[in-house]
Amino acid sequence: MYNLIIYLYQLGVAVYSLFNEKVRKMWRGERDAFRLLREKVDPMAQYVWFHAASLGEFEQGRPLMEQLRRDHPEYKILLTFFSPSGYEVRKNYAGADIICYLPLDTITNARRFLRTIRPVKAYFIKYEFWYNYLHILKHRGVPTYSVSSIFRPDQVFFKWYGRQYGRVLKCFTHFFVQNEVSKQLLAKLHITDVTVVGDTRFDRVLQIKEQAKQLPIVEAFLEDREGPESPKVFVAGSSWPPDEDIFIRYFREHPDWKLIIAPHVIDEAHLQQIEQKLEGRKVIRYTEAEKSLPSSLSSCQVLIINCFGLLSSIYHYGSVTYIGGGFGVSIHNTLEAAVWGVPVIFGPNNQKFQEAQGLKACGGGLEINSYEDFCRVMDSFADPQRLSAAGEAAGRYVQGLAGATQKILSATLTQK
């Protein structure tokens, strides 16, 4: 049944690729993967294979790849992606020797792929359970690990109709899971090679913090924030229109705050929409300031970040941060903000994110469901002690859960 579904999926992707650019990139990339492997694989090398579905999983696997490369240069690294949103962004990542799409999980593809690579170890990041690849890895005796994985009772493996597919989990040599609930769920399937180590993303955000950029434009915008009467700084990251409707309304009535907005979508229509909502406040876009760095930049009240690659460093300048997406599909990355020791606010759609629940529990993260909630939270931060305590709680939470990378590599590199 699984293989029939895969072949039907393959047919569907082939047809849909005629009409969708993202799907077309994936279809071409998968078909081109074997050519790329033939050209680049060194038959004398020992490859460690990392597979990430997309960009988020890549960020979870990145600390593992970089520490492995640093401590064990005898290995070469193969990195594969399923989604164009991961591959297209990281296809030139310097931390891997070969980067390509993962060919679709047919028996033929899986056999051909593994004959070409002959990996000595394989790491699957978080949510990747490809039936044929995993069974052939097990048959070949290749140590295979699921890292930063997290399981919930509503997943197919734990339903009566998913038990047969759930056998794929027994192909892993060991699971390095994020929490105790995941360990208990796997135990119900009689899987006991499980260690709770946490999430490698905590290590990753600490790396990002160490590598943060100084941003002269942001510093010029905030030039007048020194001193007891200086304005506090609100940073909104990956915001969407429903988020902006809430926090912009508040800041129209609170000119004592400076506002930095890094919207998730930076097309011209969205930028103009934000500027219209900010009518009456002095606004400048980052790229406009970049061209001339006007001397009056510090007199602006709002800075809109209309480019990519800066957000993780910008959080450093915030007094309070807001993570967008919680009034839509789901919130974005809260840890990149929390690592700086500042409070993190987000919308209600956060239940599937363990880090959001942890931040709420420790007092460093605050959920809002409405404009009135947002007002109550922001008004409470008029108390400097309240603001400081929430920020310190967020920072401690991230620091306290770091270390998964070292635990995983220490355990897996001793196994042959």
Side-chain angles (χ1 to χ4, degrees):
M1 179 61 74
Y2 175 84
N3 288 315
L4 175 61
I5 292 170
I6 286 292
Y7 282 115
L8 291 173
Y9 174 82
Q10 186 176 38
L11 177 62
V13 169
V15 173
Y16 196 34
S17 69
L18 299 173
F19 309 99
N20 183 284
E21 178 63 24
K22 181 178 178 180
V23 175
R24 187 157 52 248
K25 287 180 179 179
M26 182 176 72
W27 175 243
R28 290 173 178 170
E30 288 180 1
R31 294 165 68 195
D32 197 45
F34 287 114
R35 179 197 59 78
L36 188 148
L37 292 173
R38 284 196 307 270
E39 292 175 357
K40 294 195 173 185
V41 167
D42 178 355
M44 303 303 293
Q46 290 186 303
Y47 284 93
V48 176
W49 174 24
F50 288 86
H51 177 65
S54 191
L55 190 59
E57 290 79 10
F58 164 80
E59 289 296 328
Q60 287 178 289
R62 185 170 179 169
L64 291 165
M65 287 184 279
E66 294 182 354
Q67 186 165 329
L68 177 69
R69 199 172 187 82
R70 198 165 51 243
D71 297 347
H72 295 273
E74 68 271 22
Y75 294 122
K76 288 197 172 184
I77 294 175
L78 165 69
L79 170 63
T80 59
F81 288 97
F82 177 74
S83 168
S85 60
Y87 176 79
E88 297 299 331
V89 174
R90 293 302 182 193
K91 60 187 175 183
N92 296 315
Y93 170 59
D97 298 282
I98 303 174
I99 303 172
C100 66
Y101 282 95
L102 180 67
L104 196 63
D105 187 30
T106 65
I107 294 174
T108 301
N109 281 349
R111 285 175 176 164
R112 185 181 175 191
F113 180 90
L114 292 169
R115 274 200 308 266
T116 303
I117 298 300
R118 299 187 182 278
V120 295
K121 295 180 188 293
Y123 296 83
F124 285 67
I125 313 301
K126 198 174 182 179
Y127 292 137
E128 288 295 273
F129 307 106
W130 295 111
Y131 192 90
N132 292 314
Y133 281 105
L134 287 166
H135 274 86
I136 296 171
L137 283 165
K138 183 179 181 181
H139 177 74
R140 287 171 169 262
V142 179
T144 303
Y145 309 103
S146 177
V147 301
S148 286
S149 44
I150 188 166
F151 294 92
R152 300 183 305 276
D154 61 353
Q155 287 174 300
V156 65
F157 313 113
F158 311 109
K159 303 293 186 181
W160 64 266
Y161 53 81
R163 289 300 174 92
Q164 185 173 358
Y165 175 66
R167 293 173 187 169
V168 72
L169 300 179
K170 296 189 177 182
C171 294
F172 286 98
T173 306
H174 202 92
F175 287 85
F176 296 93
V177 298
Q178 293 189 31
N179 58 25
E180 190 65 33
V181 170
S182 297
K183 183 176 181 178
Q184 292 169 4
L185 285 169
L186 289 170
K188 291 181 179 179
L189 301 181
H190 308 291
I191 296 171
T192 57
D193 290 320
V194 183
T195 305
V196 179
V197 296
D199 190 343
T200 51
R201 281 185 302 165
F202 289 88
D203 301 321
R204 178 61 188 144
V205 295
L206 287 167
Q207 286 179 349
I208 292 171
K209 180 182 179 183
E210 291 173 3
Q211 298 162 3
K213 308 167 187 174
Q214 277 194 299
L215 301 173
I217 290 171
V218 177
E219 291 171 0
F221 170 69
L222 301 175
E223 193 174 42
D224 62 351
R225 72 171 184 161
E226 301 299 327
E229 301 302 320
S230 63
K232 292 188 283 290
V233 182
F234 183 89
V235 177
S238 299
S239 63
W240 293 84
D243 305 302
E244 293 147 9
D245 287 340
I246 288 176
F247 64 72
I248 288 176
R249 179 181 171 188
Y250 180 86
F251 290 110
R252 280 203 303 260
E253 301 169 6
H254 294 79
D256 52 323
W257 283 79
K258 285 221 168 186
L259 180 57
I260 302 176
I261 306 173
H264 187 75
V265 177
I266 57 171
D267 62 32
E268 184 61 27
H270 188 197
L271 296 175
Q272 289 185 12
Q273 184 184 69
I274 293 171
E275 289 167 343
Q276 289 169 3
K277 292 174 183 177
L278 287 161
E279 187 177 1
R281 303 205 66 182
K282 191 173 181 182
V283 180
I284 190 165
R285 298 184 186 183
Y286 189 93
T287 54
E288 292 172 357
E290 199 173 31
K291 290 174 184 175
S292 58
L293 193 59
S295 57
S296 60
L297 186 57
S298 64
S299 67
C300 294
Q301 297 165 304
V302 183
L303 176 63
I304 299 176
I305 310 301
N306 60 328
C307 52
F308 294 114
L310 303 179
L311 182 55
S312 59
S313 297
I314 287 172
Y315 285 130
H316 166 53
Y317 298 98
S319 309
V320 177
T321 60
Y322 181 96
I323 307 302
F327 288 93
V329 175
S330 63
I331 59 171
H332 295 283
N333 192 332
T334 56
L335 297 180
E336 285 189 354
V339 72
W340 290 104
V342 292
V344 184
I345 302 172
F346 40 79
N349 196 349
N350 60 71
Q351 301 307 312
K352 291 185 178 180
F353 295 86
Q354 180 173 270
E355 64 276 14
Q357 308 315 306
L359 284 166
K360 286 194 292 184
C362 75
L366 301 106
E367 177 185 312
I368 62 162
N369 291 276
S370 64
Y371 174 69
E372 290 71 25
D373 285 349
F374 185 78
C375 290
R376 281 193 292 272
V377 169
M378 292 302 299
D379 290 348
S380 75
F381 288 146
D383 178 354
Q385 291 185 336
R386 170 80 177 94
L387 178 62
S388 177
E392 289 174 5
R396 281 196 307 270
Y397 174 73
V398 177
Q399 291 282 348
L401 291 176
T405 298
Q406 185 58 52
K407 292 173 186 175
I408 293 168
L409 289 180
S410 295
T412 59
L413 293 177
T414 60
Q415 300 177 16
K416 299 296 184 182

